[in-house]
Amino acid sequence: NNQSRTKTLLPIIRNIIIAVFAALFGLVLLSELGINVTPLLAGAGVIGVAVGFGAQSFVKDFLSGFTIILEDIVRVGDVVNLGGASGSVEKITLRKIQLRDFAGTVYTIPYSEIKTIQNLTKDFSFYVMDISIAYDTPIDKVIDVLRQVDEDMRKDEAFSFMIIEP
């Protein structure tokens, strides 16, 4: 679904572009005010190396997230199991995934903590229904009624887009 892929990628791309433009704007502004930005850039390089050593898990999260997003493993709206939590993906950044479980709890999981990803809705899904019927009800009648419910739901605009197959 291209819409969910777009919903996943646009906020990430927007944040990257804003950060780059903010940094460039700041440097140009300082330069126009007569401040020599060359020492700032050199200092930023040294600080970047120091921060790089201290931020190994951040870099690991970033690289893992980039790979997961690039390979289109998870999208916003998918139902997944990862990092010991299950739920619907609400937000994806380059460093973490935010899930909401079916009780309403929100989980924020850094990519470095994810060892296995189970995507329950990637181009395929089942919905298991527990339907109670009386013992003396003919099974063929129940199957006919369920097929009719399926047909009615497929015709209803509120549900038809969610149903892949009978």
Side-chain angles (χ1 to χ4, degrees):
N1 185 334
N2 285 337
Q3 185 179 11
S4 63
R5 179 101 170 121
T6 302
K7 202 173 176 184
T8 300
L9 291 176
L10 280 181
I12 295 168
I13 292 169
R14 177 179 45 97
N15 289 340
I16 290 171
I17 290 172
I18 288 171
V20 168
F21 277 120
L24 291 174
F25 177 78
L27 288 173
V28 169
L29 181 66
L30 290 174
S31 178
E32 289 297 319
L33 291 174
I35 298 172
N36 187 3
V37 294
T38 306
L40 291 174
L41 291 173
V46 171
I47 291 172
V49 170
V51 168
F53 284 119
Q56 290 178 359
S57 67
F58 178 80
V59 172
K60 184 178 178 184
D61 288 340
F62 180 82
L63 293 175
S64 298
F66 183 75
T67 303
I68 288 171
I69 292 167
L70 183 69
E71 293 181 358
D72 193 27
I73 296 172
V74 177
R75 295 180 181 177
V76 171
D78 285 350
V79 178
V80 298
N81 294 328
L82 42 92
S86 297
S88 176
V89 177
E90 283 193 339
K91 185 177 181 182
I92 296 178
T93 68
L94 283 176
R95 204 179 67 72
K96 62 185 172 36
I97 291 182
Q98 183 175 307
L99 301 179
R100 183 174 303 273
D101 72 7
F102 305 109
T105 305
V106 174
Y107 296 93
T108 302
I109 305 165
Y111 289 115
S112 61
E113 292 184 15
I114 299 171
K115 303 298 179 220
T116 303
I117 297 175
Q118 297 173 325
N119 191 335
L120 306 176
T121 54
K122 180 76 172 185
D123 301 326
F124 178 82
S125 183
F126 274 110
Y127 187 84
V128 178
M129 293 180 274
D130 188 8
I131 300 171
S132 300
I133 57 172
Y135 286 109
D136 60 348
T137 305
I139 297 298
D140 292 337
K141 172 85 172 145
V142 172
I143 291 173
D144 289 341
V145 168
L146 290 174
R147 285 192 175 133
Q148 184 60 48
V149 169
D150 172 63
E151 190 177 314
D152 293 344
M153 289 180 73
R154 286 174 181 283
K155 291 176 184 174
D156 189 340
E157 289 182 17
F159 299 105
S160 61
F161 71 95
M162 293 186 277
I163 302 172
I164 297 171
E165 292 182 21

